[in-house]
Amino acid sequence: MTDTTPTLWFVCGSQHLYGDESLEQVAANAGSVAAALDAADAMPLRVRYRGLLTTAEEIRNVCLAANGDPDCAGLILWMHTFSPAKMWIGGLSRLHKPFCHLHTQFTRDLPWASIDMDFMNLHQAAHGDREAGYLHTRMRLARKVVVGHWSDPDVHARLAAWARAAHAWHDLQGARFARFGDNMRGVAVTEGDKVAAEMRFGFTVDGYGVGDLVARIDAVPDGDVDDVLSQYDDSFDLAPELRAGGERRSALRYGARLEAGIRAFLVEGGFKGFTTTFEDLHGLEQLPGLAVQRLMVDGYGFGAEGDWKTAALLRACKVMGRGLPQGTSFMEDYTYDLSADGQQVLGSHMLEVCPSIAAARPRLEIHPLGIGGKADPLRLVFDAKTGPAINVSLIDLGGHFRLVLNEVDSVDHPALPRLPVARAVWTCRPDFTTACSAWIYAGGAHHSAFSLDLTTEHVEDFAAIAGVELVVIDGDTTLRTLRRDLRLGELTALLGDGLRGR
């Protein structure tokens, strides 16, 4: 999949009260800050300095230009001096891109012995940013506030988290997701309002008959199938029957054709994610498993059983985690270990867990599957990496969307020699009972995005940009507080958006 990487605009505010010489210095300092952020190792997007703004007209023009620039993912605002905030109203009321408010100061250390009024007038973000912050709050503008010196690695890390969220939001605007068949019959949580989703998140969901996909799979040239087969041979430990000359090699060849055909369909349609369902496989020889795993590695969103909300969420998480090493996957809370000495969740799915989270080189196997009514499907089998992780779900509550997030810890576990699927085992924060109760009270789905790369901060920033409620289950969660917060969230959604905003 070919994706463009957007940029962030760095904008500095001031006014003409202090004279041209001071403004020249302010502009030079702002350019230096932008260049330093652009060069910071943690920043995932380029930062472009877009100038010093001192009038309402300049501010309005920059905001409108940002709206119209498909390369702009968002703005970083800083008031180097005092910038009267009323002149920002016209621009910010028209701005449709997310912004982050950086509360910083050009100098780190005060030159105590030499401070004079010229220094004070030049370096007054301490109250210039407060003026801006008041207006942002007065206008009810969603934004992230990052405080600290612009050279501080912690500031870079917090800006980087927001930049990743802004990138994911930018990526979803106009994104297309394909549904091959409908969702699994009789299931509630995979349903949802696709019109409301496009209004809120900016992506569209289009349905296609499985026959359309079958036709594209059948049309894949043999040479393309050979290329995918070669990648399998090089990348995975193949079960003996799948190796060249093995008795099941033809099944692997069809799996390669399946992957090549789905990929071609997605590329030709400009899709960023897709869904399948085992209840609609007419014309396919296998339920896609290996193909889905491989496409997720390349950044495609996926949801099983027609779950388009999780497909879009996974795509957003993949974009937020781009370039990070630990991986993100489609996941399902499958079964529990309820032993007294350590209650754990075994997460997996029939076939579709992304090998980006694999702790070691995956093994490529083929086994029977009791659902779908097709030939034995292929799958990559592995254990997940260990470490801090998040499990996050997107649900449609009818009146509004909600993200539910649990901070977890992926852990080592006993061998699973008879379980031929990829899997992760985790403990929940603050504890198993509280976390599972909280997830169920919040309505969290059984499908989720599981990430060893992302943190709560990334999802908090994304939720703020999207204007979506976020329920966080972490080490500080209590059920009494969470149930109160859920009631407040419902009320906030009703008062904030009503029937229009969803």
Side-chain angles (χ1 to χ4, degrees):
M1 177 169 29
T2 301
D3 294 312
T4 58
T5 301
T7 60
L8 299 173
W9 290 11
F10 186 92
V11 173
C12 183
S14 186
Q15 61 175 316
H16 286 277
L17 182 64
Y18 311 111
D20 292 342
E21 185 177 347
S22 292
L23 287 179
E24 290 175 4
Q25 187 63 55
V26 167
N29 291 349
S32 297
V33 173
L37 296 179
D38 182 61
D41 292 337
M43 290 298 290
L45 302 180
R46 300 299 305 270
V47 179
R48 295 172 55 196
Y49 177 51
R50 293 291 297 190
L52 177 64
L53 306 183
T54 59
T55 69
E57 183 179 10
E58 291 173 346
I59 294 165
R60 186 181 297 108
N61 288 340
V62 165
C63 290
L64 292 175
N67 290 341
D69 188 345
D71 183 56
C72 177
L75 284 69
I76 301 173
L77 307 183
W78 173 43
M79 307 303 129
H80 189 306
T81 64
F82 193 82
S83 179
K86 285 180 65 177
M87 66 183 180
W88 288 80
I89 295 173
L92 293 179
S93 64
R94 292 166 174 80
L95 181 65
H96 301 309
K97 298 292 177 79
F99 75 92
C100 178
H101 186 185
L102 176 60
H103 183 43
T104 190
Q105 183 171 284
F106 187 70
T107 59
R108 176 189 285 274
D109 303 319
L110 285 179
W112 297 98
S114 62
I115 291 177
D116 57 17
M117 284 310 300
D118 287 338
F119 182 95
M120 296 282 277
N121 286 335
L122 186 63
H123 301 283
Q124 53 176 310
H127 73 292
D129 279 328
R130 282 170 167 79
E131 166 77 354
Y134 164 75
L135 181 74
H136 302 160
T137 299
R138 175 67 176 82
M139 295 179 68
R140 276 57 173 186
L141 299 175
R143 79 281 192 193
K144 182 174 187 175
V145 178
V146 176
V147 179
H149 195 259
W150 49 270
S151 65
D152 190 333
D154 181 65
V155 168
H156 297 167
R158 296 205 63 212
L159 284 172
W162 173 82
R164 290 182 178 278
H167 187 184
W169 179 254
H170 180 270
D171 178 78
L172 283 184
Q173 305 315 297
R176 300 181 68 204
F177 292 86
R179 297 178 74 210
F180 298 119
D182 205 340
N183 60 297
M184 180 179 172
R185 291 184 286 274
V187 177
V189 77
T190 54
E191 297 285 0
D193 187 334
K194 294 187 284 293
V195 172
E198 184 170 357
M199 291 169 61
R200 173 57 63 189
F201 297 102
F203 63 80
T204 62
V205 182
D206 300 317
Y208 291 88
V210 177
D212 296 330
L213 178 60
V214 170
R216 190 62 189 84
I217 291 168
D218 290 345
V220 172
D222 288 340
D224 292 353
V225 177
D226 292 336
D227 290 342
V228 177
L229 268 175
S230 178
Q231 294 172 34
Y232 294 166
D233 291 333
D234 293 341
S235 302
F236 310 118
D237 294 332
L238 271 64
E241 63 270 25
L242 298 176
R243 297 171 190 166
E247 61 184 17
R248 306 297 298 274
R249 184 70 173 186
S250 60
L252 183 62
R253 183 172 184 83
Y254 180 77
R257 175 173 293 279
L258 200 60
E259 178 186 331
I262 297 173
R263 187 183 299 276
F265 192 104
L266 298 175
V267 169
E268 290 162 7
F271 296 103
K272 294 182 176 180
F274 64 106
T275 71
T276 61
T277 174
F278 65 88
E279 289 182 332
D280 195 347
L281 300 173
H282 186 72
L284 296 176
E285 295 179 15
Q286 300 173 11
L287 172 64
L290 173 62
V292 173
Q293 292 178 294
R294 292 256 299 168
L295 288 161
M296 283 193 288
V297 169
D298 291 340
Y300 285 99
F302 173 75
E305 292 94 49
D307 189 352
W308 54 268
K309 297 187 299 299
T310 299
L313 174 62
L314 182 62
R315 169 63 184 189
C317 289
K318 286 285 190 181
V319 173
M320 281 191 274
R322 189 166 293 173
L324 299 178
Q326 298 301 313
T328 298
S329 178
F330 172 78
M331 188 59 68
E332 178 171 285
D333 304 66
Y334 223 104
T335 191
Y336 296 142
D337 175 18
L338 297 178
S339 58
D341 59 347
Q343 297 163 318
Q344 299 174 331
V345 180
L346 170 56
S348 184
H349 205 257
M350 297 178 297
L351 306 169
E352 309 99 340
V353 175
C354 180
S356 66
I357 67 172
R361 181 180 169 101
R363 179 174 170 83
L364 180 50
E365 301 181 7
I366 185 169
H367 298 278
L369 186 67
I371 63 174
K374 295 293 180 178
D376 298 345
L378 299 147
R379 79 288 303 273
L380 296 173
V381 178
F382 56 84
D383 294 327
K385 300 167 187 170
T386 60
I390 60 170
N391 210 29
V392 59
S393 170
L394 174 62
I395 60 172
D396 184 349
L397 291 172
H400 69 289
F401 292 96
R402 173 183 287 165
L403 288 160
V404 184
L405 180 150
N406 188 195
E407 295 182 357
V408 302
D409 292 281
S410 181
V411 297
D412 289 323
H413 54 83
L416 295 163
R418 300 186 63 185
L419 184 64
V421 291
R423 57 270 176 149
V425 175
W426 63 82
T427 58
C428 303
R429 301 183 192 177
D431 58 74
F432 178 86
T433 300
T434 302
C436 291
S437 299
W439 188 276
I440 290 171
Y441 275 127
H446 60 280
H447 289 164
S448 60
F450 176 85
S451 181
L452 290 137
D453 284 325
L454 303 182
T455 66
T456 299
E457 184 175 14
H458 294 98
V459 182
E460 283 177 330
D461 291 345
F462 178 81
I465 292 171
V468 172
E469 179 191 11
L470 171 64
V471 176
V472 175
I473 306 166
D474 61 13
D476 297 324
T477 295
T478 66
L479 291 180
R480 179 178 293 121
T481 300
L482 178 125
R483 295 180 73 181
R484 180 199 66 197
D485 291 345
L486 292 176
R487 291 192 294 270
L488 292 175
E490 293 279 2
L491 182 61
T492 300
L494 177 63
L495 296 178
D497 288 330
L499 294 176
R500 177 181 178 275
R502 278 302 301 264

